[in-house]
Amino acid sequence: MPRSSPGHEDRHAPGTRVGARRIPRQERSRATVERILEAGAQVLSEHGYEGASTSRIATEAGLSPGSLYQYFPHKDAIVLAVLERYSDQLVAGITARMTGQFEQPAPVIVRATLAALLDGLDVEQPFLRAAVVHGPQLDDGRALRIFEDRIGELVLAYLTTRREELRPDLSLPAAAWMLVRTVEHLTVRYLLDRPPIHRDRFLLELTQLTLNYLRPTAV
């Protein structure tokens, strides 16, 4: 298969399935896939989605394009695999931060959870843009919805344990849905726009916004 130029031949044809060409089962194959994904993440961090190509990723991985194509049919398949792995790592980090902390005062666990999300999303801007702009275009937003749903389950579990402290009219599923997407959007915009707001101030304001939404209204 010929080498692909950046941003054109690497893209999958409309209507084709975006995914790995084969599932690695042997340790050597799994190691090769890991090399490709590491290289893909590095290329996305340096060049973004538009500047990424299978030839650049293969070079970064120390592989020939032919070897890379044995595992991934085109650039988009690699990008999605990289972003899915990143999403899994982000969810794992937030889960670890929340696990066993439900008894902590609400301001403490809310701020800690928001800090974990901010830390996880604070990657190179070209990579973050690939994750939030191009990723959803490649799979109709499937990976993003899965990520939001997984975080939403954690938030809903926490809200359920603190029901007595929350607004009596609050729908917990609705609150979890809105909180995840509101916080996600504000955090992504903060990292992409880089406004003149110190990180600690951003976390303080976002924590306060979240808590004010959940707390009973003072009479």
Side-chain angles (χ1 to χ4, degrees), residues 138-152:
L138 298 179
D139 67 350
D140 295 323
R142 176 182 171 276
L144 178 61
R145 288 192 297 273
I146 291 174
F147 166 76
E148 292 170 339
D149 288 345
R150 291 168 70 185
I151 299 299

Side-chain angles (χ1 to χ4, degrees), residues 7-207:
H8 182 61
E9 292 88 345
D10 284 335
R11 297 180 180 178
H12 66 284
T16 59
R17 180 178 179 272
V18 179
R21 188 178 294 280
R22 74 181 188 185
I23 300 174
R25 291 182 172 85
Q26 297 182 351
E27 183 175 348
R28 182 177 178 181
S29 295
R30 290 195 297 269
T32 300
V33 169
E34 186 63 21
R35 284 172 62 188
I36 294 171
L37 296 183
E38 288 288 344
Q42 185 62 36
V43 170
L44 284 176
S45 296
E46 293 178 1
H47 303 283
Y49 173 79
E50 293 295 347
S53 66
T54 50
S55 57
R56 269 184 171 155
I57 295 170
T59 299
E60 180 70 27
L63 299 170
S64 68
S67 296
L68 183 147
Y69 284 123
Q70 292 180 26
Y71 297 94
F72 296 95
H74 41 63
K75 177 181 86 171
D76 288 351
I78 302 173
V79 170
L80 276 179
V82 168
L83 297 182
E84 287 171 359
R85 186 182 68 159
Y86 170 61
S87 176
D88 289 341
Q89 293 169 344
L90 190 54
V91 170
I94 295 173
T95 301
R97 191 72 66 94
M98 294 184 71
T99 299
Q101 301 298 313
F102 282 9
E103 298 306 316
Q104 293 284 343
V108 174
I109 188 171
V110 169
R111 191 184 191 284
T113 302
L114 296 178
L117 178 65
L118 180 59
D119 290 344
L121 289 174
D122 194 7
V123 294
E124 299 294 335
Q125 285 206 1
F127 186 99
L128 183 57
R129 289 188 185 279
V132 301
V133 176
H134 298 288
Q137 295 174 353
L138 298 179
D139 67 350
D140 295 323
R142 176 182 171 276
L144 178 61
R145 288 192 297 273
I146 291 174
F147 166 76
E148 292 170 339
D149 288 345
R150 291 168 70 185
I151 299 299
E153 290 172 0
L154 290 172
V155 173
L156 180 58
Y158 171 71
L159 295 180
T160 300
T161 67
R162 311 304 286 257
R163 187 66 184 92
E164 296 297 321
E165 305 170 23
L166 307 179
R167 284 170 29 211
D169 65 327
L170 193 68
S171 164
L172 299 191
W177 189 94
M178 293 185 67
L179 283 173
V180 168
R181 286 149 185 84
T182 299
V183 167
E184 174 193 26
H185 177 76
L186 287 173
T187 304
V188 167
R189 292 316 317 170
Y190 174 75
L191 292 170
L192 291 180
D193 297 348
R194 299 291 178 180
I197 304 173
H198 192 274
R199 181 183 185 278
D200 289 342
R201 170 56 61 177
F202 174 75
L203 278 175
L204 175 64
E205 298 294 341
L206 192 56
T207 299

